[in-house]
Amino acid sequence: MDKNYLSRVEDIEYFPDTLKALELLQTLEFELFVVTNQSGVGRGYFSLESVYVIHRQLQNDLRTHQLLPFKDFAICPHSPDDECVCRKPSGKMIQDLMEKHKITPEQSFMIGDKIIDAEAGLNAGVQGVLVRKKHGDHFPFFKNLMDFARSLKK
Ligand SMILES: [Zn+2]
């Protein structure tokens, strides 16, 4: 999923195979987290509550597809002007989740379609992975989440 300023439930769209890829990741015993910059909140475009509504819908969609829900969400609601410590590419949100849930960084991945996602992973000590959009050669790249999930299957 990637929508700039996704704030309405009816705008949620999944790429083909995304839910199947999440299913494969769960079969491989990964726990799934969402780490998201929501600067639209800080800019006053929409409320934090509308972000929660979206996240609740994601959880419902996962359950509808017989998946386990996301284990947790980390949200940076700040705008870049706020100069907060959490906004990706900072690794803070990922580090906090790992600490809270006793996650091993060496066995974790941060997957995204923006370079800041992969950088946030790197900054948190986990492997950054890019999907859908290639940005240089610094991070492993897969054309979609399913290709990444399959690459982990031994
Ligand atoms: Zn922040």
Side-chain angles (χ1 to χ4, degrees):
M1 273 179 325
D2 175 38
K3 288 254 172 143
N4 289 329
Y5 303 124
L6 170 66
S7 64
R8 302 187 315 163
V9 165
E10 55 270 34
D11 291 338
I12 296 176
E13 275 183 66
Y14 296 90
F15 290 116
D17 276 357
T18 295
L19 289 164
K20 281 197 179 337
L22 296 179
E23 182 181 7
L24 176 52
L25 290 170
Q26 290 188 345
T27 303
L28 296 170
E29 299 189 333
F30 282 94
E31 291 181 321
L32 306 178
F33 296 85
V34 173
V35 179
T36 180
N37 286 352
Q38 293 292 338
S39 65
V41 175
R43 296 173 207 264
Y45 296 166
F46 49 83
S47 66
L48 192 52
E49 178 55 36
S50 67
V51 177
Y52 295 145
V53 169
I54 295 275
H55 290 176
R56 279 198 290 276
Q57 184 62 47
L58 297 180
Q59 299 293 55
N60 288 339
D61 291 345
L62 264 57
R63 288 192 192 92
T64 301
H65 289 81
Q66 272 78 50
L67 299 174
L68 297 172
F70 288 108
K71 184 96 175 178
D72 207 349
F73 293 78
I75 304 165
C76 166
H78 307 110
S79 88
D81 298 339
D82 294 334
E83 294 178 23
C84 68
V85 295
C86 40
R87 183 174 166 80
K88 293 180 287 186
S90 159
K92 180 87 166 63
M93 290 194 283
I94 300 171
Q95 280 165 336
D96 288 350
L97 285 174
M98 289 194 298
E99 199 168 310
K100 180 175 168 190
H101 295 281
K102 310 269 182 278
I103 303 292
T104 316
E106 295 78 17
Q107 297 171 15
S108 303
F109 297 88
M110 172 64 188
I111 304 144
D113 62 0
K114 297 195 176 71
I115 191 79
I116 58 165
D117 298 320
E119 286 169 352
L122 185 67
N123 289 333
V126 316
Q127 174 67 65
V129 172
L130 287 166
V131 292
R132 307 201 64 84
K133 292 173 192 162
K134 201 165 194 286
H135 307 263
D137 296 317
H138 194 53
F139 295 101
F141 169 75
F142 297 88
K143 72 178 190 303
N144 56 46
L145 190 60
M146 186 49 119
D147 279 10
F148 166 71
R150 287 201 181 109
S151 78
L152 299 170
K153 218 166 102 179
K154 296 283 165 4

